[in-house]
Amino acid sequence: MLRPTPASPLLSLPGAVPAEAPDEGVAAHYGDLFREQRALADGSGFVDLSHRGVVTVTGPERLSWLHLLLTQHVSDLAPGHATEALILSAHGHIEHAVYLVDDGATTWMHTEPGHQEALIAYLESMKFFYRVEVADRTDEIAVVHLPAGSIAEAPESAVVRETAHGRDLFLPREGLESFAAESGPAIGVLALEALRVEAHRPRLGLETDHRTIPHELGWIGTAVHLQKGCYRGQETVARVHNLGKPPRRLVFLHLDGSEVHLPPHGAPVRLASDGEEGRQLGFLTTSARHHELGPIALALVKRNVPLDAQLLAGGTAAAQEVVVEP
């Protein structure tokens, strides 16, 4: 059972419509989805991500210790340098995805809403004699996202994680409303999700299931470092990378724009030529309405699905683009 994060105070802003799972606690949008998307794409506004879990690790051995547990090379992580990493099962299946930065004294990371307790439980079980301390900071620290190109200034109290996609701020939760007043307009998570789908970026719990391995989603390179030492699940990563191919692959879908409703997460993907009773070849992971591209989606399909095949996603016609090569 995932512990919900308290609802954001920004849900009281004019026009705020609460988001649904897995993003309960923040706004889906503030009344104009496409305007919010365009603003975000242009580098304006911010997205309230205060529902995400926040975990910190302190202690003189924090980076060398995390290096043993994560798929990413972090033993020499420079202060202010952002990265992302996974925690895998012994069989190489994805269990956690973390987005982190170190400020020289503390490693800050955010993870999917409600997942911080399981993440902390795993980290605590691996402490042994290392000089590290792990803390759940979710109740006191809120994450907000500034898009690439934003000229908004981060408060002095914030820890900044800067990437090509924008800046994530770890902000004291009591400062969230004043930040919103100074850095608006507020933009809902649906706009950020649409741009994430456009950029083919996977998300834990949506693009993953209990047997997903990093190769299927294109997480090799961005979240998995192939030239680092041992970590749990590394054998699977190395074997698939060197000797084989992943059983499934992530694809980007252009959906039929004449449909009123978007197919939901988990909707079956089939060959269009086989119709709605055909054999299931995968499932839709995230769908969105994009301000320029129209209805779009990501899906996870079997590796041998022909690259030029027309598909059905939950009964909706879909044309695919390659994200992960077969």
Side-chain angles (χ1 to χ4, degrees), residues 147-223:
S150 170
I151 60 172
E153 293 188 6
E156 291 185 3
S157 59
V159 174
V160 180
R161 177 181 177 273
E162 185 164 4
T163 74
H165 303 285
R167 287 175 287 164
D168 296 337
L169 309 185
F170 294 88
L171 184 73
R173 194 170 285 272
E174 66 267 18
L176 187 56
E177 290 179 279
S178 60
F179 175 83
E182 297 171 1
S183 305
I187 292 171
V189 292
L190 287 184
L192 185 62
E193 282 291 278
L195 299 186
R196 178 183 70 81
V197 172
E198 178 193 17
H200 309 161
R201 298 174 62 210
R203 183 176 172 187
L204 183 77
L206 293 176
E207 278 63 56
T208 67
D209 59 18
H210 67 282
R211 58 192 179 97
T212 306
I213 61 175
H215 315 67
E216 296 177 324
L217 303 182
W219 252 329
I220 300 297
T222 60

Side-chain angles (χ1 to χ4, degrees), residues 249 251-254 269-274 281 301-302 304-312 317-322:
R249 59 185 179 89
V251 296
F252 176 78
L253 301 178
H254 291 274
V269 175
R270 300 180 170 93
L271 291 177
S273 58
D274 291 345
L281 301 175
V301 301
K302 292 182 181 295
N304 60 1
V305 172
L307 299 180
D308 59 351
Q310 295 295 306
L311 304 175
L312 287 177
Q320 61 170 314
E321 290 184 8
V322 174

Side-chain angles (χ1 to χ4, degrees), residues 106-117:
T106 300
T107 301
W108 297 78
M109 61 185 81
H110 64 81
T111 190
E112 288 298 321
H115 284 242
Q116 65 271 18
E117 290 185 350

Side-chain angles (χ1 to χ4, degrees), residues 90-115:
H91 298 290
H93 301 136
I94 300 169
E95 292 189 346
H96 297 282
V98 295
Y99 302 85
L100 59 125
V101 68
D102 193 89
D103 66 6
T106 300
T107 301
W108 297 78
M109 61 185 81
H110 64 81
T111 190
E112 288 298 321
H115 284 242

